Amino acid sequence: MRIKAQVAMVMHLDKCIGCHTCSVTCKSTWTNRPGTEYMWFNNVETRPGPGYPKEWENQDKFKGGWEYKNGKLRLKAGGPMSKLKNIFYNPDMGTLDDYYEPWTYDYANLINSPKSEHLPVARPQSMITGKYMDKPEWGSNWDDDLAGGSEVVPLDPNVQHLQEHIAMEYEKTFMMYLPRICEHCLNPSCVASCPSGALYKRDEDGVVLVDQEECRGWRFCMNGCPYNKVYYNWNTHKAEKCNFCYPRTEAGLPTICSETCVGRIRYIGVVLYDADKVKEAASVEDPQDLYEAQLDCFLDPFDPEVIAEAEKEGINNEWIKGAQESPIYKMAIKWKIALPLHPEYRTLPMVWYVPPLSPIMNHVTNEDELNTDGYIPTVDQMRIPIEYLASLLSAGDTEVIRKVLLKLTAMRVHMRSVNVGGVDPLSESKLLEEAGIDVETVEEMARLLGVAKYNERFVIPTGRREMDDDLYYQQGACSLEDLAPPEGVVTAPFERRN
Amino acid sequence: MEGIFWWVIFPYLTLAIMIIGSIYRFASNQISWVAPSTEFFEKKWLKIGSPLFHYGILLAFIGHVMGMLIPIEFYQWIGVSDHMYHFGAIYGGGLAGLMVVAGAIILLIRKMTIDRLRIHATFADWFSVISLIIVAGIGVYMTIIYNTTVVEYEYRLTIGPWFRSLFIFQPQYKLMLDVPLIFKIHVITAFALFASIPFTRLVHLYSAPIHYPMRAPQQYRSRSAFKRKGI
Ligand code: SF4
Ligand code: SF4
């Protein structure tokens, strides 16, 4: 047993209102420098849709993540030898056009233009070339709320797997929001793809980082990450990615996207896992077994043996206590209502999603007489097809999704009977049994999902600084030093225009 | 006197700039130490130009090791006749040189014509590509045209021994005095190019990640093992 601690996140999709506040606060914190304009460490995409970058789930194109072939786990894009061979040209990597050309507007023209008959306009201007763009054609959330409709939706690789709904019939349309950050995977393929060894997973909290000094710009991480969450800074020619706001989490604060989340959909906490089991878990043959295999890597923070072993590894009391109170442990491991995004990529992602409920498609006619059991089949008639959610969250295993939706439905029905009444007693119903939970859990779930006070959503022990051996050297060190241009300096492309 | 400058002082000076400059930059400015790929902006032409150029350079490097570092006696000892050697050098070296020149020209045109690349290219970028084309272009001319039309010049008796003598610090500059002018220019421009390495993005040639296949796929790092690097 080799215990490591991981700071992880759960997003409760039911509550995401698609406001993009998370993206904006993340951007203004981390990616507002030249070279990073197109990067969204946090982005919110409307699904079904191609996402950002376009069609990132199309692994025939990007070759991200791992594959299990001939009894071996290997990088889908090829191992070290084939990477060295391709080092002068990476055939699988996306280009700026797969993301979008970032632009600003020529606001100065509104003030400086001479008197004229027509109102002056602020024309869009590329932030890469400084030139005017006649017609911006794509952006990170261009297809927000299904904009582009039947032209854009079929680009979603998950829709292509769906039997029904392909026609985008009006009565059958559905949508949901999917906020995405780096998954800080247990088996990160970005790390394994880096020829320089510049990417690494931190021992203390599992955050995956790029060492800006060691990165040489070989770019294999970009498409090596199946979630396309490593970005290439064209200004510094180095890779950058979400760093789980580690300067904040080390101080016990939630990431900026979570702190500012309007829907309060995000939860952060610690889980303990056995690093020795990771490879084995990523190597199970059937992709639909990956979810269970990943769950097997996690350790029970109340088990005295685990606690003793964790202490030996230098994980202190505060962290063990954090793991015991962790909302992630409850939602992902104990209640099993949060699921990993695309487990079939075999990276063992650590941002988990509670799938959203959606309105029932068929009219429930006899609502007054509807007994609690009547809610069981409704799960299969929800507007967002279970197959679609399964394609996102369980490698296509609809049973897993169905179970979660049943639990969430049971929770709603029970809370309705407690607060409003008018539902026959749950004790006489099969709903709880079918969902596999008890009343006590349901109430605990309702509190964490619905009431969700700040301190319950974010249980983040502070960084274990006492173990650092070089504090004096690190004092005042800034992670952006030398990377970001000095304040007030106008850099390319705009310096050249004037 | 002129001979001493070009064949003793100049090579040592340029090599010293290259070595000291590279070490200084490596120690002081890791942030700038990269392979400055523009694949993110354009990959159709890069797909042709970049592998052509880089594989050409690798071949040319091997060719130079064979011609400059390995003494002629070695070839005689293993029984490679002069004629056989030059036959191989003209075809192999010619091919490598053509690959380098063609690849670099594609990359240069690409840089000149595509807005996203041109606008962000620095003086150092232009300098590197253009001087590489010049050095390699002269090399190709020597190998393919001069060698076949003027004389099959035996540089393994002059330039080779002179080059090796630099490394034992007993430069035999006299060997270089009667070398054909075109060979002299190739050598001098090449040394000048070496001197420019630390000031351009060519530094990435030191960072070829050949250790990659040897390391474990997953990398864990502990914060307490924080490495103090050059200040
Ligand atoms: S999601 Fe994050 S940790 Fe996982 S492979 Fe991608 S960049 Fe790496
Ligand atoms: S801030 Fe929260 S609610 Fe708004 S889009 Fe982001 S995740 Fe969704």
Side-chain angles (χ1 to χ4, degrees), chain A residues 11 15-23 42 44 179 257 260-266:
Chain A
M11 298 198 206
K15 294 188 291 186
C16 179
I17 57 172
C19 64
H20 301 275
T21 308
C22 45
S23 309
N42 181 107
V44 184
C257 54
T260 57
C261 175
V262 174
R264 303 187 175 181
I265 81 160
R266 300 182 185 225

Side-chain angles (χ1 to χ4, degrees), chain B residues 15 42 50 66 80-81 101 111 159 219 224:
Chain B
L15 287 179
E42 196 284 335
S50 173
M66 285 168 62
V80 174
S81 73
V101 174
K111 223 184 213 4
I159 310 181
Q219 307 278 301
S224 53

Side-chain angles (χ1 to χ4, degrees), chain A residues 38 66 80-81 85 87-91 93 95-97 101 128-129 131 187-188 191-195 197 200-204 211 213-214 216 218-219 232 234 237-238 250 464-465 467-470 473 496, chain B residues 26 30-37 39-41 43 46-47 50-51 54-55 58 115-116 118-121 201 204 207-213 215 217-229 231:
Chain A
Y38 82 97
W66 305 85
M81 286 324 262
K85 194 182 89 224
I87 201 149
F88 306 128
Y89 165 76
N90 174 356
M93 141 195 177
T95 65
L96 186 69
D97 298 315
E101 178 151 359
I128 304 289
T129 61
K131 299 202 161 163
N187 184 34
V191 172
S193 301
C194 174
Y200 61 96
K201 195 166 174 64
R202 281 216 300 199
D203 261 340
E204 288 84 355
D211 184 329
E213 303 219 321
E214 280 180 23
R216 300 285 177 243
W218 303 122
R219 318 172 304 291
Y232 181 70
W234 52 260
H237 301 281
K238 303 219 174 198
E250 280 176 13
R464 286 174 276 159
R465 279 296 189 194
M467 283 160 37
D468 286 18
D469 57 3
D470 221 351
Y473 173 64
R496 277 158 229 254
Chain B
F26 190 81
Q30 281 283 318
I31 288 289
S32 74
W33 197 283
V34 281
S37 168
E39 180 171 358
F40 185 56
F41 284 156
K43 70 190 281 173
L46 185 98
K47 180 180 183 174
S50 173
H54 284 97
Y55 279 114
L58 286 179
D115 283 348
R116 288 177 182 172
R118 189 187 58 250
I119 286 169
H120 297 290
R201 285 155 171 188
H204 72 272
S207 297
I210 39 180
H211 53 278
Y212 178 34
R215 73 142 221 254
Q218 293 307 3
Q219 307 278 301
Y220 293 97
R221 275 196 216 175
S222 160
R223 213 173 34 206
S224 53
F226 185 88
K227 275 178 280 172
R228 182 194 288 246
K229 300 221 192 78
I231 303 172

Side-chain angles (χ1 to χ4, degrees), chain A residues 65-75 186-187 275-297 343-349, chain B residues 217-218:
Chain A
W66 305 85
E67 63 185 2
Y68 186 72
K69 239 191 183 167
N70 309 330
K72 259 196 173 150
L73 188 66
R74 40 161 269 165
L75 289 170
L186 297 186
N187 184 34
D276 283 337
K277 278 197 186 159
V278 166
K279 188 160 180 212
E280 195 188 319
S283 317
V284 295
E285 185 141 20
D286 182 354
Q288 296 194 345
D289 294 337
L290 280 159
Y291 167 53
E292 285 295 332
Q294 180 170 6
L295 287 181
D296 281 346
C297 295
E344 70 273 21
Y345 297 158
R346 298 176 184 271
T347 60
L348 311 191
Chain B
Q218 293 307 3

Side-chain angles (χ1 to χ4, degrees), chain A residues 181-185 187-191 199 208 224-230 241 347:
Chain A
I181 63 171
C182 159
E183 306 276 343
H184 298 278
C185 308
N187 184 34
S189 52
C190 58
V191 172
L199 276 141
V208 175
C225 165
Y227 304 92
N228 267 261
K229 276 294 171 191
V230 193
K241 64 182 285 301
T347 60

Side-chain angles (χ1 to χ4, degrees), chain B residues 136-231:
Chain B
I138 298 174
V140 170
Y141 172 78
M142 285 156 34
T143 320
I144 301 182
I145 303 178
Y146 188 89
N147 266 342
T148 50
T149 56
V150 185
V151 58
E152 203 171 82
Y153 182 64
E154 190 47 274
Y155 45 79
R156 286 181 299 166
L157 291 176
T158 54
I159 310 181
W162 163 77
F163 186 68
R164 292 195 294 275
S165 72
L166 288 176
F167 295 97
I168 49 171
F169 298 103
Q170 283 164 8
Q172 297 168 19
Y173 70 95
K174 288 199 179 110
L175 286 170
M176 288 301 287
L177 296 180
D178 296 323
V179 168
L181 183 65
I182 189 77
F183 283 79
K184 283 183 177 167
I185 297 177
H186 181 69
V187 173
I188 288 171
T189 48
F191 273 97
L193 178 62
F194 295 158
S196 78
I197 288 175
F199 309 100
T200 67
R201 285 155 171 188
L202 293 183
V203 287
H204 72 272
L205 70 91
Y206 299 116
S207 297
I210 39 180
H211 53 278
Y212 178 34
M214 267 87 79
R215 73 142 221 254
Q218 293 307 3
Q219 307 278 301
Y220 293 97
R221 275 196 216 175
S222 160
R223 213 173 34 206
S224 53
F226 185 88
K227 275 178 280 172
R228 182 194 288 246
K229 300 221 192 78
I231 303 172

